[in-house]
Amino acid sequence: MTSTDSRADHITRFPFPFPRDRYRYSTNVEPAGHRTDTVAGSWGDTRIAIDADYHRELAERERILAEDPSRHQCLSHMVPAAWDAMLTLMRMLADEYPGTMTLERRADEWFWKNDLLGIEHAFVFGDLDTLPAPPLMYICGQIQEDVVLLDQRDGELWGDAGLVTFAADWSFGFDVGMSFLEIHGPVPRVHSEKIITRAHNFLMRLEPGQSYRRTNWTLTVDGKLDTSTETYPEWGKDRRTLADGPLDEVGDRLFLRTEVQHLIRLAHSGVVMFLIRTYLLPLRDVAAVPEWGGRLYRVLEDLPVDMAEYKGISRTREPAMRWLLTHGNVEP
C-alpha cells in the first residue's frame, strides 16, 4: 500500500465526530454495529475495528505496558468479569472477522485462533494457568481498543478493572476503584446539566448483550496515542511548541482525535464493558474534506472556554483555527 493509499484509507474510515457546527456535552448514544456514512466514507459496521494500523498499535501497546504495567488493573472481585470480557471479545472477533479469527468449544477447553498474529491457543475458562497472561492483558494484546469494566453494586457503577494504554489526558491507574460519577467529577457542565446522571442511569438500565456506542473528541499534537497523565512530562510541552511554532507546521502536527466508545453489558458477570477505540487524523487531512474543515473551524470557534480548558486544547485551538483559515481553504 502506498502512502497515498494509506492516507486515503485513514480519511475514508475516520469517524468524524461533529453532526453540526456546535458541540456541547451530551450522552449521544446510539445502537452499535451499524454503518455510519460520512461525506468521505463510512465507519462503525463492526464493534471491534481492525485496520491497517493493527500491528503498529499493538506494538505500541506492548511497549507502554512493558514500561508501565499499572496500565492494567483488575481488582480481585473482578477476575470473573475479566474472563467474561475476554470470551465476549473473542466471540465478537470471531463473528465480525470469520476469515481470520476462530473460537471453538472442545469439551472442557476453548480453542482460540488469531491468524493475524499467528496465535493458536487452547485454554480452560477461569484457569489462569492455561493462559500466557491475565485475561484482559491477553485479549487486549489482540485488539486496538482500550477496555474498562464497570462493576454495578449499591446502585452505582464502579471502574474496577481495565487495560488502558491510549488515554487522552486522564489516568486509569488513578481512577480505578472510583465510581462512575467520581471519575467524571472534573468534567465541566455535565453535573449541573444532569448529563452525567442521565448517562449513569442509561448504563444501569443496559440489558445483558445490549451494545451501544458514542463518540468523544479532542486535539492531539504529533499523533501520540498515549497522552495519559502518567506521561505528561513527555508530551505536555508539545502544545506550547505547536502554539509557538510556525503556522505552516500545524496541519501536519495537530490531529483531530476521535474516540469511538462502545458500551456493552456482559451477559454472565453483568458488568458494563467500555471499549474505547482512538482514531487520529491530521488537520491537513481533515481539511482535505471541505465539509469537515469548515465544520471543525466553527466548532472550535464556538466552544466555551471551560470546555476547551478541560479538553486541554486552550493552547492549540487558536493555531488550529488560524491554520484552517490560512491553509485549509476555510472561510470564516
Side-chain angles (χ1 to χ4, degrees), residues 61 144-148 163-167 274-277:
R61 168 163 289 153
Q144 291 160 268
E145 286 79 3
D146 285 326
V147 176
V148 175
L163 190 148
V164 180
T165 53
F166 304 142
F274 265 68
L275 302 179
I276 309 167
R277 175 62 196 279

Side-chain angles (χ1 to χ4, degrees), residues 181-227:
L181 298 177
E182 289 171 334
I183 290 170
H184 292 87
V187 185
R189 300 171 182 251
V190 296
H191 294 274
S192 61
E193 298 174 12
K194 307 296 184 183
I195 295 168
I196 201 64
T197 303
R198 292 198 299 273
H200 182 266
N201 292 340
F202 174 82
L203 291 171
M204 294 276 287
R205 292 193 300 268
L206 276 179
E207 295 291 331
Q210 283 188 323
S211 58
Y212 287 80
R213 72 184 182 206
R214 67 183 299 274
T215 58
N216 196 14
W217 70 277
T218 188
L219 300 176
T220 296
V221 182
D222 294 335
K224 290 183 174 67
L225 281 166
D226 179 21
T227 56

Side-chain angles (χ1 to χ4, degrees), residues 150-276:
L150 300 176
D151 190 26
Q152 184 167 326
R153 63 182 186 275
D154 302 327
E156 288 194 75
L157 296 166
W158 303 81
D160 286 349
L163 190 148
V164 180
T165 53
F166 304 142
D169 216 353
W170 64 286
S171 167
F172 177 66
F174 179 80
D175 289 347
V176 68
M178 290 186 180
S179 73
F180 181 82
L181 298 177
E182 289 171 334
I183 290 170
H184 292 87
V187 185
R189 300 171 182 251
V190 296
H191 294 274
S192 61
E193 298 174 12
K194 307 296 184 183
I195 295 168
I196 201 64
T197 303
R198 292 198 299 273
H200 182 266
N201 292 340
F202 174 82
L203 291 171
M204 294 276 287
R205 292 193 300 268
L206 276 179
E207 295 291 331
Q210 283 188 323
S211 58
Y212 287 80
R213 72 184 182 206
R214 67 183 299 274
T215 58
N216 196 14
W217 70 277
T218 188
L219 300 176
T220 296
V221 182
D222 294 335
K224 290 183 174 67
L225 281 166
D226 179 21
T227 56
S228 62
T229 52
E230 287 92 339
T231 57
Y232 180 80
E234 300 173 17
W235 57 265
K237 63 182 183 301
D238 296 341
R239 297 166 177 171
R240 175 180 53 79
T241 62
L242 179 126
D244 296 343
L247 181 64
D248 58 3
E249 293 182 359
V250 171
D252 296 312
R253 291 195 62 198
L254 191 60
F255 287 67
L256 175 59
R257 174 184 179 124
T258 301
E259 292 179 356
V260 177
Q261 304 173 352
H262 280 85
L263 326 168
I264 302 167
R265 173 77 74 177
L266 299 183
H268 296 290
S269 62
V271 308
V272 175
M273 179 169 65
F274 265 68
L275 302 179
I276 309 167

Side-chain angles (χ1 to χ4, degrees), residues 43 60 97 104-105 165 182 231 234 272 280 318 322:
W43 63 276
E60 177 68 355
Y97 301 94
E104 298 176 354
R105 182 74 180 268
T165 53
E182 289 171 334
T231 57
E234 300 173 17
V272 175
L280 295 163
E318 194 270 339
R322 282 196 292 122

Side-chain angles (χ1 to χ4, degrees), residues 41-53:
S42 65
W43 63 276
D45 52 342
T46 59
R47 290 169 294 178
I48 299 176
I50 294 176
D51 56 31
D53 295 319

